[in-house]
Amino acid sequence: MCTLLLPFSTAFASGAQTAGAGEWDKLGTYTYIYSSKPVYSSGGDFRVCLSSSAGFSLTIHLYEDDPGSNQDEYVGANYFSPGECHTFKNIGKFVDGDNRKAEFYAYDYSGKYVTVTFYD
């Protein structure tokens, strides 16, 4: 008889979503028309993935949400095919406010339902 021993992580058993250093932390999956809700990022790099079931390609713009009368800051844009991900690099300059976080949201002009997943 042969026994196979596999390492077991308590983080995995508890359902934790936080990845280790150098790995992506999933911030959530959101479906929207025109604009997603903002998600919090601590800086570094930020990843956006378009759902593989999108059925169409489009350009997604990334903005940093600034509350009140402050104008939202434009981070950049990428053209996405279904299932494709793009990484926005070195976005630490957008970290601000009392919470020391950047609040990023996706925006597109398609007028269609779009589903994206954000990673930090």
Side-chain angles (χ1 to χ4, degrees):
M1 176 160 53
C2 179
T3 303
L4 178 63
L5 298 175
L6 299 174
F8 182 79
S9 168
T10 56
F12 179 77
S14 66
Q17 293 291 317
T18 304
E23 297 179 25
W24 290 109
D25 293 327
K26 183 177 178 180
L27 300 178
T29 298
Y30 304 93
T31 299
Y32 66 90
I33 298 177
Y34 294 112
S35 179
S36 72
K37 74 174 229 155
V39 295
Y40 295 104
S41 170
S42 11
D45 295 340
F46 188 80
R47 191 164 179 81
V48 178
C49 299
L50 177 63
S51 170
S52 59
S53 63
F56 55 90
S57 298
L58 76 158
T59 298
I60 295 177
H61 303 267
L62 188 66
Y63 285 89
E64 200 271 329
D65 184 36
D66 282 326
S69 61
N70 297 328
Q71 184 173 357
D72 291 352
E73 295 176 82
Y74 184 70
V75 177
N78 278 297
Y79 185 78
F80 290 78
S81 295
E84 191 171 22
C85 299
H86 289 282
T87 301
F88 294 83
K89 299 248 183 218
N90 302 316
I91 48 80
K93 66 183 176 187
F94 297 101
V95 172
D96 58 9
D98 293 338
N99 65 359
R100 302 302 305 151
K101 301 276 185 189
E103 297 82 16
F104 292 121
Y105 65 92
Y107 188 92
D108 73 83
Y109 297 94
S110 72
K112 300 177 182 179
Y113 283 99
V114 175
T115 300
V116 294
T117 302
F118 297 124
Y119 298 89
D120 193 27

